[in-house]
Amino acid sequence: MEAPRLAHTMSSPTSPCEEVIKNLSLEAIQLCDRDGNKSQDSGIAEMEELPVPHNIKISNITCDSFKISWDMDSKSKDRITHYFIDLNKKENKNSNKFKHKDVPTKLVAKAVPLPMTVRGHWFLSPRTEYTVAVQTASKQVDGDYVVSEWSEIIEFCTADYSKVHLTQLLEKAEVIAGRMLKLSVFYRNQHKEYFDYMREHHGNAMQPSVKDNSGSHGSPISGKLEGIFFSCNTEFNTGKPPQDSPYGRYRYEVAAEKLFNPNTNLYFGDFYCMYTAYHYVILVIAPVGSPGDEFCKQRLPQLNIKDNKFLTCNEEDGVMVYHHAQDVILEVIYTDPVDLSLGTVAEITGHQLMSLSTANAKKDPSCKTCNISVGR
């Protein structure tokens, strides 16, 4: 039987959490620190011998939940009424994390059959390392608790967004995509040295590289998917790519049909902003049956190349016609090498606007437009 959701414990009187715990069936209490030191007003009775959890196992990990189970001696097992769980983000050794003893990190749940599900977007984030330790407790008639010693500390990492979560992001992105504008080329800006290197060391072909950590923290493509970034947005008044770029003064342009056609699949990868009014959508184009295609099939929502809100490919009178969304900035990842001979390289006439770079950009976790109701 799955356990009910766990709730945060109540914080100090100066920062109550009534809104967080309202309508939850579990009790909220203030617990002692993991090392056994009690807060002055903790209300926990003197420690008696209750079975200490050991051999802790973490399983069924998602981006905002996990299952936990453990072994314990049978002695006094029938007196256990509650479990206390100390859940903390794993501290960066280089950080100066401030942690006041009266700011609780503990969760409390009534004793239920194990494994027990821990779930709650208000305290779990995707792709984040956590430590967890457990106590058993017995609630007394006077409301105090008898507690066991803490278990050993276990480390684990939450998972990426699932397809379900990405579909929620996709639906949010569709709302603001805007009307579609025509395009004819994909383009990639870099420094001259980049193109020279690809000519000299990679047989004139641009090579896929691992995507950086920009965008949503739970994105399954960050740090994993290999590809080549292209842009496809056009200026409203000219229908051509903008002359400015944050990524270098040399631009490779290739006809859209060379990369995007009925022999490729299209996937939605991410939706984010960087504390700005405009939003970015990451799309992935993968040749059918390629390693990139197989990677995306397992993790990303697939889009109909002829009918979606972001980037379309249709045949009209024997000619391929392409459109892109007007009101979002599209970042397109192509998952195979691209030979430079398929297009042209030329210097742009505009400015190199470094402020527009999205390299390792952090998503605004407070934006209501591009966040979903799971951990950031």
Side-chain angles (χ1 to χ4, degrees):
M1 182 178 71
E2 185 175 84
R5 298 186 180 188
L6 295 181
H8 262 316
T9 60
M10 292 184 68
S11 61
S12 63
T14 57
S15 56
C17 298
E18 282 83 4
E19 288 303 313
V20 175
I21 63 173
K22 188 164 61 177
N23 299 326
L24 295 177
S25 61
L26 297 173
E27 299 173 67
I29 59 173
Q30 186 165 341
L31 306 181
C32 62
D33 296 330
R34 183 185 284 175
D35 60 9
N37 298 327
K38 305 182 185 68
S39 301
Q40 290 182 352
D41 58 348
S42 65
I44 297 180
E46 290 300 316
M47 187 176 294
E48 294 181 7
E49 286 192 9
L50 284 173
V52 179
H54 59 91
N55 194 25
I56 295 175
K57 298 183 183 69
I58 305 292
S59 61
N60 296 80
I61 300 171
T62 72
C63 68
D64 65 345
S65 70
F66 62 92
K67 286 189 175 181
I68 185 169
S69 63
W70 56 81
D71 299 329
M72 49 188 169
D73 298 333
S74 57
K75 180 184 177 183
S76 302
K77 193 174 179 179
D78 57 347
R79 292 199 297 120
I80 297 172
T81 61
H82 291 78
Y83 302 137
F84 294 170
I85 299 178
D86 186 12
L87 181 66
N88 293 282
K89 284 186 180 180
K90 189 176 177 183
E91 292 189 35
N92 185 331
K93 291 180 180 179
N94 298 321
S95 70
N96 294 316
K97 183 178 177 183
F98 174 77
K99 182 179 176 183
H100 192 278
K101 69 175 183 178
D102 290 329
V103 180
T105 57
K106 313 299 186 295
L107 312 169
V108 58
K110 290 182 178 178
V112 295
L114 300 175
M116 176 176 62
T117 297
V118 179
R119 177 185 291 111
H121 69 265
W122 57 90
F123 60 84
L124 279 172
S125 296
R127 199 184 279 206
T128 302
E129 291 185 329
Y130 287 92
T131 64
V132 64
V134 188
Q135 280 179 317
T136 58
S138 176
K139 190 172 185 179
Q140 307 301 292
V141 177
D142 60 5
D144 284 347
Y145 286 82
V146 173
V147 295
S148 73
E149 294 181 0
W150 283 108
S151 70
E152 72 269 32
I153 298 171
I154 299 298
E155 298 179 1
F156 71 99
C157 185
T158 47
D160 299 332
Y161 284 157
S162 67
K163 274 189 181 180
V164 172
H165 299 115
L166 286 172
T167 299
Q168 293 174 19
L169 269 183
L170 165 62
E171 291 168 353
K172 279 181 161 281
E174 288 175 336
V175 171
I176 70 161
R179 71 187 183 105
M180 304 290 277
L181 302 177
K182 272 192 176 183
L183 70 106
S184 59
V185 299
F186 291 102
Y187 55 96
R188 173 174 173 80
N189 281 72
Q190 278 287 348
H191 300 286
K192 181 177 182 296
E193 292 77 13
Y194 168 84
F195 295 110
D196 290 343
Y197 186 86
M198 293 302 166
R199 292 188 187 101
E200 295 172 15
H201 298 278
H202 292 289
N204 205 46
M206 294 184 291
Q207 299 298 309
S209 59
V210 177
K211 183 193 171 296
D212 65 11
N213 289 314
S214 60
S216 300
H217 189 55
S219 172
I221 62 177
S222 293
K224 295 180 181 178
L225 177 67
E226 293 188 359
I228 305 170
F229 262 112
F230 285 90
S231 299
C232 64
N233 290 80
T234 58
E235 291 182 323
F236 180 77
N237 56 340
T238 66
K240 296 181 179 180
Q243 279 302 309
D244 299 326
S245 168
Y247 299 112
R249 294 197 56 80
Y250 283 78
R251 174 173 293 170
Y252 174 74
E253 287 190 10
V254 59
E257 62 208 46
K258 299 288 186 181
L259 302 186
F260 187 35
N261 53 61
N263 295 318
T264 56
N265 284 327
L266 181 67
Y267 298 91
F268 172 83
D270 201 4
F271 177 45
Y272 70 100
C273 71
M274 303 178 297
Y275 303 89
T276 56
Y278 42 90
H279 281 79
Y280 295 82
V281 168
I282 297 180
L283 303 175
V284 182
I285 297 175
V288 174
S290 66
D293 190 34
E294 294 304 314
F295 178 95
C296 294
K297 265 182 188 170
Q298 305 299 320
R299 298 167 177 83
L300 306 180
Q302 186 170 348
L303 302 176
N304 183 337
I305 66 170
K306 296 182 179 180
D307 183 20
N308 66 80
K309 298 287 188 181
F310 311 109
L311 182 66
T312 59
C313 164
N314 286 282
E315 186 175 339
E316 297 179 9
D317 300 324
V319 178
M320 301 305 294
V321 179
Y322 296 87
H323 290 84
H324 71 88
Q326 172 186 352
D327 294 335
V328 293
I329 300 174
L330 295 180
E331 298 182 304
V332 178
I333 300 176
Y334 187 77
T335 62
D336 273 13
V338 176
D339 198 300
L340 290 170
S341 65
L342 295 175
T344 59
V345 177
E347 188 172 4
I348 62 173
T349 59
H351 301 285
Q352 187 174 336
L353 303 176
M354 296 306 294
S355 61
L356 295 180
S357 173
T358 61
N360 289 307
K362 299 305 179 186
K363 179 174 182 175
D364 178 1
S366 65
C367 178
K368 290 182 171 54
T369 300
C370 62
N371 281 293
I372 55 177
S373 59
V374 294
R376 304 293 186 254

